[in-house]
Amino acid sequence: MPVSQIITPGLVPEVHHVALDTTFRGVEHPLSASDAPIHQYRGIKYASVPARFRPSKLFSSYPPLVDATKYGPICPQVKNMKNFEETLFGLAEDDFPTEVFKHNEFECLNLNITCPAGLNSHSHIPVMVWVHGGGDRGCGSSWVYDGGALVRKSVLLGKPVILVSFNFRLGLFGFAAGPQLREDNRSVGEDGVGNYGLRDQRKLLEWLHHYIGDFGGDPHNITLFGESTGAADIIYHLLSAENETRPLFHRAIVQSAVIDYNLPDVAGAGWQLSRLMSTLHLTTIDQLRLLDADQLVKFGQTLRVVDDGVFLRHGWKDSFVPENAHRHHHNSEHHLSVPKSGGGVRSSHSRSRVRPSPSPSGSSVSIRLPSHLQPLIIGDCASDSLLWSTPISYWTSAGVTRRLKAVCTSLSKAAGLLRAYDISSSTPDSEIGEHVLELVNDARVAWPTECFANSARALRGGKGVWRYVFDQEGPIRPIPHHAVDLMYLFDNVALPDTSSTRSDEPSSSTMSLAGSSPDDMWPESFCAFDDDDSEEVKYSSSVRGHIGDEEMTFDDYEGPDFSSTWAIPMVDEHSYARVRDTLQERWLAFAHAEAPWNEDKVFVFGPEGETGERTKWIFDGRRRRKVWKETLEPLGMQLVQKIGVELSRGPPLK
């Protein structure tokens, strides 16, 4: 058995791992303090890559002493660029730490463990695994996702967790596919093709299942949480064939998933790969494998998941079709104890030593779910489409109208969309971007999130799914933009013009808004309300602006220039602390197998520091649910997603 870590200031943290016959030497986290000592183990290899475009293998052979004080290499990607969160946050270069990671496609499968000090193999505390987003430019070791603040909060709340972040293959290295590659993989006994990045993620879960116990974690109590494409990856894991037969995680948190319903099949992905090989004057897969990684980085920026007929289970698309959302499946049993009103939910897999908070009603009811239908928190931000606002800003009214008619291939279908989103060839070009942002937001994030949440709830017999909406403004950009929730969740971005925002108690001080009232800053359809109000509320369904594009190069993009009152921080310390604390507390409670809030309610974060449970009528005011029902649903998810992707790319280059 491993020796307990001794909590001694200045002592180098070490874990003597019996199962792996090694000692991991880590670091004391900068946020570590006497009331909440925190250790961190960095760059631990969890899998090896036998060859380019081949599934990874679990790694378990370590030297007697492993230096876990430095972050490991990341998957090759375009260098000298901000990650997309930094761009979305609106940070200047002086506002975030300089990080330099080595790029190595064969050594990029490594993980980072942030944990309370003093754990041993008997601790069995919950494990939270962060799946980063960012498409082909993501990095699990980014300062944005550092787990120190969240782990510290977990200790202070008496709900300690271990937080794991990790790197996996991206872009062409993680998702290249085609008939040639499929046959090449079959020649070495590998089934399926592409999705190497997703398989890396599952390999990470296998490593945790075998080895996190000696770090003090409970391998039978793992929560996946992620945002953007990382959140979409979690959905693909929920819908995977292997999750049905051998689930390796026990609950999931899906934050603003950029879902792609129209995944390419092997032939479609192969067409893209053939074009690439032709451009590079290559004829065989072996030649492609020998090419230098730096030459391939720029070609795989839009490659993602492939429907290869193996990774995803049969019928996975039904989970996004509204009319199929009420089907019920009965499979192997998974036990949950769900309170009638807001208390603890316990998984049969969970052996956490921390007891859930008692139910307010003092009673609970037992239900049974298949083990692959994991409990789920799912939601989105009010303005997720700001992710694509740069290319969208290039559309003209005439161009958008023509494009919609061409994609719909039907004047009647196009007319419904144009009418619903107030788009016409006579719309001023200076305003058309706002309407396109609304359409793209619904097509690529908000409506798919609603459809998947409804389907997941139906499959779980009406239980096990918790909905939220994140409409809180950003501390730097005063809009509820894509990824803004990460600023509150990880608490690693300091408020502008303030010293520290990580106090355990919210500060009572506020910053001046130059005399601006909410009415000056928000549309007329917004109206504020108290936390105790659970009635229907009006709220502007879109707060507009221009923020950047996850699928674009950010080299020259510095973000919008908010002038006058928009340049003044809108979020005061009290509002920030309130949303931060509530978000962290709810996520940590869920990781401890507690119900985060009443399943029949929707939890709101923001605007202006508001938090609390609301009735489901909140969607009618904060999201375009009526438009989804009357306009998008008749078109179907396949066409709606195609429209969203086409518009989010901007007009074709001339």
Side-chain angles (χ1 to χ4, degrees):
M1 306 299 291
V3 178
S4 298
Q5 299 176 17
I6 302 173
I7 309 175
T8 303
L11 184 68
V12 176
E14 290 186 349
V15 166
H16 306 290
H17 204 292
V18 174
L20 291 172
D21 192 24
T22 188
T23 295
F24 293 98
R25 179 170 293 169
V27 298
E28 186 173 11
H29 195 278
L31 291 182
S32 183
S34 58
D35 60 342
I38 304 168
H39 292 169
Q40 195 169 60
Y41 301 88
R42 304 168 175 171
I44 299 174
K45 186 173 181 176
Y46 67 85
S48 57
V49 179
R52 183 177 290 171
F53 312 137
R54 289 270 169 78
S56 55
K57 306 294 183 182
L58 192 70
F59 190 78
S60 60
S61 179
Y62 299 89
L65 178 63
V66 175
D67 180 5
T69 63
K70 301 179 180 64
Y71 293 110
I74 64 176
C75 184
Q77 50 196 274
V78 178
K79 298 179 180 179
N80 301 320
M81 291 174 58
K82 297 180 185 179
N83 64 43
F84 86 103
E85 290 90 356
E86 292 169 348
T87 303
L88 287 169
F89 294 163
L91 297 173
E93 290 188 6
D94 294 339
D95 294 334
F96 57 89
T98 300
E99 294 181 305
V100 179
F101 300 107
K102 293 182 179 179
H103 292 210
N104 190 321
E105 65 174 302
F106 300 106
E107 297 298 332
C108 66
L109 305 187
N110 52 76
L111 61 88
N112 311 300
I113 297 172
T114 307
C115 58
L119 303 179
N120 59 41
S121 63
H122 300 290
S123 299
H124 297 306
I125 71 171
V127 180
M128 298 185 72
V129 179
W130 174 252
V131 185
H132 71 77
D136 64 308
R137 291 183 301 280
C139 172
S141 301
S142 169
W143 67 274
V144 174
Y145 317 128
D146 181 88
L150 190 56
V151 171
R152 171 175 165 78
K153 177 62 68 69
S154 77
V155 174
L156 296 176
L157 289 175
K159 292 182 170 64
V161 300
I162 290 176
L163 194 149
V164 176
S165 61
F166 67 106
N167 293 301
F168 51 92
R169 284 176 286 180
L170 308 168
L172 191 70
F173 306 101
F175 296 94
Q180 280 185 283
L181 268 178
R182 179 171 57 190
E183 293 307 313
D184 182 80
N185 283 344
R186 284 177 176 171
S187 69
V188 294
E190 298 288 355
D191 198 12
V193 66
N195 302 324
Y196 308 113
L198 286 177
R199 295 178 186 275
D200 293 342
Q201 294 171 14
R202 186 166 173 87
K203 201 62 64 176
L204 174 280
L205 293 174
E206 288 185 26
W207 193 95
L208 295 177
H209 180 77
H210 291 295
Y211 305 123
I212 197 62
D214 278 12
F215 285 90
D218 184 353
H220 302 292
N221 191 0
I222 294 176
T223 298
L224 284 185
F225 69 129
E227 182 263 350
S228 196
T229 56
D233 287 350
I234 294 175
I235 289 179
Y236 296 133
H237 284 298
L238 287 167
L239 300 177
S240 69
E242 285 192 285
N243 190 53
E244 283 193 312
T245 58
R246 193 164 66 98
L248 293 176
F249 61 99
H250 308 90
R251 60 193 64 83
I253 304 174
V254 173
Q255 302 174 220
S256 295
V258 178
I259 300 165
D260 193 350
Y261 178 83
N262 298 322
L263 297 179
D265 58 15
V266 176
W271 178 77
Q272 296 183 52
L273 188 62
S274 295
R275 288 186 62 190
L276 165 63
M277 294 176 66
S278 177
T279 301
L280 296 172
H281 306 290
L282 305 176
T283 58
T284 68
I285 295 298
D286 286 338
Q287 290 175 330
L288 187 60
R289 282 202 172 101
L290 292 174
L291 205 64
D292 188 83
D294 289 339
Q295 294 181 260
L296 292 179
V297 164
K298 58 185 177 181
F299 293 105
Q301 294 185 9
T302 60
L303 291 183
R304 285 294 295 163
V305 181
V306 177
D307 190 0
D308 67 341
V310 175
F311 187 86
L312 296 169
R313 62 171 171 78
H314 178 71
W316 67 271
K317 286 192 171 184
D318 292 344
S319 295
F320 299 97
V321 180
E323 56 265 31
N324 292 331
H326 300 291
R327 294 178 308 143
H328 293 265
H329 290 247
H330 302 281
N331 298 298
S332 58
E333 293 182 345
H334 177 92
H335 298 266
L336 296 172
S337 177
V338 180
K340 293 179 179 178
S341 177
V345 47
R346 297 287 293 179
S347 164
S348 63
H349 295 298
S350 176
R351 300 199 310 268
S352 171
R353 297 174 64 188
V354 182
R355 295 183 178 181
S357 301
S359 166
S361 65
S363 61
S364 64
V365 337
S366 294
I367 63 173
R368 299 176 185 273
L369 289 176
S371 58
H372 68 283
L373 297 180
Q374 291 93 334
L376 172 69
I377 290 177
I378 183 169
D380 63 343
C381 294
S383 302
D384 280 311
S385 62
L386 294 176
L387 179 63
W388 300 285
S389 62
T390 295
I392 286 175
S393 68
Y394 292 110
W395 280 111
T396 63
S397 299
V400 171
T401 304
R402 287 195 302 269
R403 194 61 184 156
L404 279 176
K405 290 178 179 179
V407 175
C408 289
T409 66
S410 165
L411 290 178
S412 61
K413 291 180 179 179
L417 272 177
L418 293 169
R419 185 169 51 253
Y421 290 91
D422 196 19
I423 296 171
S424 72
S425 57
S426 62
T427 304
D429 287 343
S430 60
E431 299 176 7
I432 192 64
E434 301 175 354
H435 304 286
V436 176
L437 282 170
E438 292 179 347
L439 175 51
V440 170
N441 194 84
D442 290 352
R444 299 205 64 180
V445 183
W447 187 50
T449 294
E450 172 82 350
C451 291
F452 183 76
N454 289 341
S455 173
R457 183 182 292 274
L459 289 173
R460 290 158 176 76
K463 296 292 184 180
V465 176
W466 288 266
R467 291 284 274 122
Y468 76 89
V469 290
F470 197 95
D471 297 337
Q472 174 66 14
E473 309 82 9
I476 299 173
R477 287 185 166 140
I479 40 179
H481 59 76
H482 189 71
V484 68
D485 48 337
L486 304 189
M487 303 176 78
Y488 293 87
L489 179 60
F490 288 99
D491 194 26
N492 290 324
V493 181
L495 283 174
D497 300 323
T498 60
S499 56
S500 174
T501 60
R502 294 193 179 91
S503 60
D504 299 330
E505 296 295 331
S507 171
S508 60
S509 63
T510 60
M511 292 183 293
S512 171
L513 296 179
S516 298
S517 68
D519 292 338
D520 298 325
M521 309 291 284
W522 294 91
E524 291 181 359
S525 57
F526 170 80
C527 92
F529 47 89
D530 297 329
D531 284 345
D532 294 331
D533 181 13
S534 61
E535 300 303 318
E536 180 179 356
V537 181
K538 291 184 178 180
Y539 177 74
S540 173
S541 57
S542 177
V543 182
R544 291 131 181 171
H546 295 280
I547 299 225
D549 174 19
E550 186 179 23
E551 296 180 355
M552 289 187 64
T553 299
F554 288 121
D555 296 53
D556 301 320
Y557 181 71
E558 297 298 335
D561 178 20
F562 292 109
S563 59
S564 66
T565 55
W566 287 105
I568 301 172
M570 187 174 180
V571 180
D572 59 53
E573 292 185 44
H574 177 76
S575 296
Y576 175 85
R578 184 176 188 178
V579 173
R580 175 202 64 196
D581 292 344
T582 304
L583 183 64
Q584 291 178 337
E585 289 165 5
R586 302 293 168 161
W587 268 219
L588 292 169
F590 189 62
H592 272 269
E594 299 175 19
W597 55 83
N598 191 318
E599 291 175 285
D600 297 327
K601 302 286 187 178
V602 176
F603 206 90
V604 301
F605 299 96
E608 298 184 323
E610 174 207 356
T611 62
E613 296 180 356
R614 302 288 179 264
T615 66
K616 293 183 179 179
W617 293 109
I618 196 77
F619 284 111
D620 293 337
R622 298 204 182 189
R623 301 295 185 267
R624 285 173 285 274
R625 180 176 271 180
K626 184 178 181 181
V627 174
W628 301 344
K629 183 69 175 177
E630 296 179 353
T631 305
L632 302 189
E633 189 170 326
L635 296 179
M637 186 63 69
Q638 182 174 348
L639 178 57
V640 170
Q641 281 257 294
K642 184 177 181 180
I643 291 168
V645 171
E646 289 281 341
L647 294 180
S648 64
R649 289 173 176 169
L653 296 176
K654 297 182 179 179

